[in-house]
Amino acid sequence: MKMFSVVSDRRARAGLKTTAAPPKSNEVTSEETEAHLEQHQQKLEEEHKRMLERYAESQRLLDKYSVMPGKGADYMALLQRITDENSADTRRSRQPLVLKKISDSLTEAYLPFNDDLELREQYINVYGGIRLGKVLEDLDRLAGAVAYKHASDANGDLAPVVFVTAAVDRIDLRSRLQSKCNYRLKGMVTFVGFSSMEIRIQMQAMSKAGRAEAEPNLVARFTMVARDKYTGKSAQINPLLLADETERRLVKLSEQIKENKKASAESTLQKHPPNAEERRVIHSLWLDTKQAQSNAYGQHASLPPDSVWLHDTTMSSTTVCFPESRNVHQKVFGGFLMRLAHELSFANGSVFTKSRPYYEALHDFSFAKPVNIGSILKFTSQVVYSEPEHRTFQIAVTTDVIDIPTDSTERTNTFYFNFSSPDTVPRVVPRSYEDMMKYLEGRRRA
């Protein structure tokens, strides 16, 4: 500033007029600012339009390879058609198998919560987040679409097979889902057997530029099994053609997961007694109850501080399965069962911790039996294991079909949900031998 004054004084003594310094070249005018804002707004609108187009296209693909009836489907007409097909005494030729690459089964679906307010309204929960139960339904639907796409012929036409969800190997939520964010669900086949296949699905947030983030928010693995559409027997599906070393490693990992599942099934508590470490855990829990025992007559065990008996954590619900919850095979859609089980486990976890629990994972389980339309289902949830030091706990939810004439129930599923809590988590304590087995089963899956 002082240098500029000296120069101005010299120009004044020389009789020269002083002029203001010319504007800097990097200065932005108001017109340029307005043009920049309009250009930015136009880009946002174009990306919004592209996202909705992606969503519509993914819905059309899911409808083509759908596990759900189309809109306006007549339930009674479908039942009559299935009856006629099953009673028809005709031989149907099986289409030739086709070698398929992993990329051939790649199927994408979108959940544009930020761009589709009507969709967001269907998924939003009371806390402003996303209902995980609804997402579980979408995952099962996408897994079915991937299976049908892989089993299609060279022209992409559907094969005369039906797919059922045999098992869910695991569903991990790695980061919270936001209601003001767009998400992409991407599924593909990672292993193929004679009539079964494993499908991996990941859910990723979309950036404002329309690109998927590198790290997935959610990862899931499903096992689908093919049945002949007319005989109900196992049907062979298209074999897998591995294109490179990456795909070979992916298949090898899936094979290892299958071997681990077999080993776990062989060592279940239904077949073998608890191991040495688990017996020590049970004995330690028993000692804790003895130390807290009162002197009251007939009191054989007492509850330690900050603990709750396992049998006191039960919460149940009952529902009737209506046709709107059916799949294309006229059975109850598996995703519907997962959603109801998750919502009950969330309610039980809220009561157990007296706070809002956070879903972490759904452990492996099998769909033991299909559920018919019209069935009365009883869901029973229990907190079977907790780790207060980590503020985590696990809830098991059993699904039973109630048979009214015989007054009996038949078990169809057992779900295991892992939760965490921002607040204190009580220690759950088993009292009977049966509760101790439930506790150990939960501990193995924690």
Side-chain angles (χ1 to χ4, degrees):
M1 192 69 184
K2 185 175 181 181
M3 182 180 294
F4 178 78
S5 300
V6 172
V7 173
S8 299
D9 291 343
R10 289 176 180 172
R11 292 177 63 87
R13 286 196 296 270
L16 300 175
K17 294 181 179 180
T18 59
T19 57
K24 296 181 180 179
S25 60
N26 60 350
E27 291 182 356
V28 181
T29 64
S30 59
E31 292 81 3
E32 292 174 332
T33 302
E34 186 68 25
H36 178 72
L37 291 176
E38 289 181 0
Q39 184 181 14
H40 180 66
Q41 181 64 27
Q42 185 179 2
K43 287 183 178 179
L44 290 179
E45 292 175 356
E46 290 175 353
E47 180 54 38
H48 171 75
K49 183 179 179 181
R50 282 195 295 269
M51 175 55 66
L52 294 182
E53 289 174 350
R54 289 176 180 173
Y55 175 60
E57 178 61 31
S58 68
Q59 292 302 305
R60 285 191 289 270
L61 184 63
L62 290 177
D63 289 339
K64 179 179 179 180
Y65 301 108
S66 180
V67 296
M68 305 293 288
K71 293 181 179 179
D74 188 333
Y75 174 61
M76 298 307 296
L78 286 171
L79 283 181
Q80 186 60 46
R81 190 197 71 190
I82 293 173
T83 302
D84 294 341
E85 289 179 347
N86 290 340
S87 61
D89 187 18
T90 58
R91 292 184 178 272
R92 301 169 176 86
S93 60
R94 180 76 170 92
Q95 67 179 25
L97 298 176
V98 182
L99 273 176
K100 290 289 190 78
K101 297 182 293 185
I102 287 180
S103 58
D104 292 334
S105 66
L106 181 62
T107 308
E108 294 182 347
Y110 291 87
L111 293 174
F113 299 131
N114 186 61
D115 292 337
D116 192 330
L117 298 183
E118 183 178 350
L119 181 70
R120 184 200 301 176
E121 186 68 19
Q122 299 173 20
Y123 283 73
I124 200 165
N125 60 31
V126 68
Y127 303 102
I130 296 300
R131 293 171 57 188
L132 261 299
K134 293 280 289 182
V135 175
L136 294 179
E137 285 185 306
D138 293 329
L139 294 174
D140 196 18
R141 184 186 177 195
L142 179 58
V146 173
Y148 279 109
K149 189 176 181 182
H150 175 80
S152 62
D153 62 18
N155 299 320
D157 296 327
L158 292 173
V161 296
V162 294
F163 281 97
V164 295
T165 306
V168 175
D169 297 330
R170 191 175 173 91
I171 301 177
D172 287 297
L173 183 65
R174 298 183 177 180
S175 58
R176 310 293 174 208
L177 303 182
Q178 306 298 324
S179 59
K180 293 185 178 181
C181 184
N182 298 327
Y183 291 96
R184 181 187 73 177
L185 285 76
K186 183 174 70 173
M188 58 185 177
V189 173
T190 57
F191 176 83
V192 171
F194 178 83
S195 61
S196 65
M197 66 175 74
E198 183 181 280
I199 294 169
R200 186 179 189 272
I201 300 175
Q202 62 181 26
M203 186 174 183
Q204 297 163 289
M206 302 289 288
S207 67
K208 292 183 179 179
R211 291 186 293 270
E213 301 290 346
E215 290 298 323
N217 301 80
L218 180 147
V219 177
R221 295 193 306 271
F222 286 75
T223 299
M224 310 295 290
V225 175
R227 295 284 183 265
D228 188 277
K229 184 178 181 180
Y230 304 104
T231 66
K233 297 180 180 179
S234 297
Q236 187 175 3
I237 54 179
N238 294 327
L240 203 57
L241 175 64
L242 303 180
D244 53 33
E245 185 60 32
T246 301
E247 293 187 354
R248 281 188 280 272
R249 286 198 299 268
L250 190 61
V251 170
K252 190 174 182 180
L253 176 62
S254 298
E255 291 175 342
Q256 184 61 50
I257 293 173
K258 285 176 64 67
E259 292 299 322
N260 293 339
K261 286 180 60 178
K262 288 182 181 179
S264 297
E266 287 300 320
S267 61
T268 179
L269 292 170
Q270 301 264 349
K271 297 180 179 180
H272 301 281
N275 58 38
E277 180 186 357
E278 291 171 336
R279 290 196 294 271
R280 284 193 294 268
V281 170
I282 293 174
H283 187 71
S284 177
L285 288 170
W286 176 77
L287 288 177
D288 290 342
T289 61
K290 297 299 289 183
Q291 291 176 1
Q293 183 176 333
S294 67
N295 293 323
Y297 175 75
Q299 189 75 23
H300 301 293
S302 296
L303 196 62
D306 301 320
S307 302
V308 60
W309 293 118
L310 189 149
H311 66 260
D312 288 335
T313 65
T314 302
M315 182 180 290
S316 62
S317 66
T318 306
T319 187
V320 179
C321 300
F322 293 103
E324 66 176 353
S325 303
R326 72 189 188 277
N327 56 25
V328 292
H329 320 308
Q330 307 309 304
K331 303 294 183 180
V332 175
F333 177 48
F336 172 74
L337 301 178
M338 286 194 290
R339 176 172 66 82
L340 293 185
H342 173 268
E343 290 172 352
L344 177 62
S345 67
F346 176 84
N348 197 350
S350 299
V351 174
F352 177 67
T353 61
K354 297 180 175 57
S355 65
R356 175 193 176 185
Y358 290 96
Y359 170 88
E360 298 292 339
L362 171 59
H363 284 263
D364 62 294
F365 70 91
S366 299
F367 288 95
K369 296 180 180 297
V371 179
N372 295 321
I373 300 299
S375 298
I376 299 177
L377 281 180
K378 182 179 180 181
F379 293 86
T380 305
S381 67
Q382 270 189 317
V383 182
V384 294
Y385 183 72
S386 66
E387 294 183 350
E389 59 275 15
H390 298 134
R391 296 184 178 181
T392 59
F393 59 97
Q394 186 176 100
I395 293 182
V397 182
T398 57
T399 308
D400 298 285
V401 175
I402 301 176
D403 191 313
I404 301 299
T406 62
D407 193 25
S408 61
T409 60
E410 186 177 28
R411 181 68 45 85
T412 63
N413 304 93
T414 301
F415 305 90
Y416 289 91
F417 295 93
N418 271 20
F419 288 93
S420 62
S421 174
D423 298 324
T424 303
V425 173
R427 183 176 298 280
V428 62
V429 180
R431 196 167 189 173
S432 65
Y433 188 82
E434 180 180 359
D435 285 348
M436 288 178 182
M437 295 304 102
K438 293 178 181 179
Y439 181 90
L440 293 179
E441 190 67 48
R443 183 176 180 272
R444 289 183 177 188
R445 299 170 183 265

